[in-house]
Amino acid sequence: MARVIVITSGKGGVGKTTTTANLGMSLAQLGYQTVLIDADIGLRNLDLLLGLENRVIYTALEVISGECRLEQALIRDKRQPGLLLLPAAQNRNKDSVNSDQMKYLVSLMETNYDYILIDCPAGIETGFHNAIGPAREAIVVTTPEIAAVRDADRVIGLLEANGIQKINLLVNRLRPEMVKSNDMMSVSDVKEILAIPLIGVIPEDECVIISTNRGEPLVLEKKLSLPGIAFENTAYRLDGQAVEFIDFESYSKGPLKRLRNFFLGSSTS
């Protein structure tokens, strides 16, 4: 049986789709058969982040309506054959699908794959409830901003009310220098407020925007960037491996300070 995990947040623009693309690719690189479902009907973006937009012929909607078979709608990534995408319809609205139909979609796949990751739309309306319907686990993505954290807290309550008890936290776009100057909430602050286990911390970096525009997930880079390493480590933790969290504060220091810390034995994770 596949692990069915919804990637959600409440607030838009916090990095759910980027997280889905990179975690999915990392899990496929670990040897797992992984399906990514774009549940953001009318505003799909997961195909763009994976560089698969030109290969979309059928979508989840055609599978539900019986216009095509599931195998016809699934797009296998040529760079990593263990990763497949089920795209959302671009020219329909979120009311075109209901929760039972999403459950049906997942039921077609859950015995054939190891992981099914559902990219949830922003908000807590119909699209959100459709996306969480078939999920048995959740990853809540937030940035260290008060509005995003408050929305994440609301979403956690809704997930628990819908019977999803295994909920992990991913803090995205962390800027250690702002945390140090008390201009941004720390990871421990966010953890304390939301009170769910931490599975990943991703630093702010312009390479994330570059990879998005190229349709190349960060974890595919030959020499991984810091966010790429952080996403890869998150996938390891999701797989049950014990991986220490990176000390981003030490990485944010200048090269001379890092060299000094190396020789003086200051700790980094």
Side-chain angles (χ1 to χ4, degrees):
M1 268 314 240
R3 288 178 65 183
V4 185
I5 306 170
V6 63
I7 315 293
T8 185
S9 68
K11 191 175 186 302
V14 298
K16 293 183 297 296
T17 304
T18 300
T19 297
T20 305
N22 281 281
L23 287 186
M25 188 65 77
S26 290
L27 290 168
Q29 288 176 325
L30 287 172
Y32 293 110
Q33 291 293 308
T34 305
V35 176
L36 308 183
I37 300 177
D38 192 335
D40 201 351
I41 296 170
L43 291 171
R44 75 172 185 233
N45 283 311
L46 192 50
D47 57 327
L48 288 172
L49 269 66
L50 291 167
L52 301 175
E53 67 276 10
N54 294 327
R55 295 178 56 199
V56 176
I57 299 173
Y58 296 108
T59 71
L61 215 58
E62 282 80 45
V63 178
I64 290 168
S65 66
E67 294 174 52
C68 75
R69 300 188 314 276
L70 173 65
E71 294 74 20
Q72 291 176 292
L74 286 170
I75 304 168
R76 190 175 294 276
D77 194 293
K78 292 179 180 178
R79 300 158 300 189
Q80 180 47 258
L83 183 72
L84 297 97
L85 169 68
L86 181 61
Q90 183 70 358
N91 57 351
R92 303 291 286 273
N93 61 48
K94 292 171 179 59
D95 294 326
S96 302
V97 176
N98 61 42
S99 183
D100 287 339
Q101 289 171 326
M102 283 294 292
K103 289 176 184 176
Y104 167 71
L105 265 182
V106 170
S107 72
L108 296 176
M109 296 182 276
E110 58 187 350
T111 57
N112 299 321
Y113 300 98
D114 301 306
Y115 282 91
I116 299 172
L117 305 186
I118 304 170
D119 184 21
C120 182
I124 54 172
E125 289 78 36
T126 302
F128 167 79
H129 288 282
N130 288 344
I132 71 170
R136 291 186 281 271
E137 303 176 39
I139 295 175
V140 174
V141 181
T142 186
T143 53
E145 305 165 59
I146 190 164
V149 172
R150 184 171 69 175
D151 286 0
D153 188 46
R154 170 80 168 123
V155 161
I156 291 166
L158 291 171
L159 291 168
E160 291 172 342
N162 280 271
I164 300 175
Q165 300 301 320
K166 190 169 185 179
I167 308 170
N168 286 302
L169 171 66
L170 186 141
V171 179
N172 194 26
R173 295 179 184 160
L174 181 74
R175 297 180 64 176
E177 69 282 358
M178 289 186 69
V179 174
K180 195 172 182 181
S181 61
N182 292 318
D183 292 320
M184 177 177 274
M185 298 169 71
S186 68
V187 174
S188 58
D189 290 336
V190 178
K191 265 187 71 179
E192 186 177 352
I193 293 167
L194 298 180
I196 57 173
L198 182 69
I199 199 166
V201 180
I202 315 298
E204 178 77 273
D205 197 301
E206 64 181 19
C207 68
V208 178
I209 299 171
I210 295 168
S211 77
T212 297
N213 290 337
R214 289 178 177 172
E216 292 278 341
L218 291 159
V219 296
L220 284 178
E221 296 171 337
K222 289 183 180 178
K223 184 178 181 181
L224 289 180
S225 61
L226 205 51
I229 294 169
F231 274 123
E232 196 174 66
N233 287 350
T234 302
Y236 291 150
R237 294 186 197 103
L238 195 60
D239 188 38
Q241 301 181 40
V243 181
E244 288 187 19
F245 288 89
I246 299 169
D247 179 4
F248 290 112
E249 188 177 332
S250 68
Y251 277 91
S252 69
K253 296 173 182 175
L256 292 178
K257 286 187 178 179
R258 287 203 300 272
L259 191 63
R260 177 180 178 276
N261 287 344
F262 176 80
F263 285 110
L264 293 180
S266 291
S267 62
T268 59
S269 60

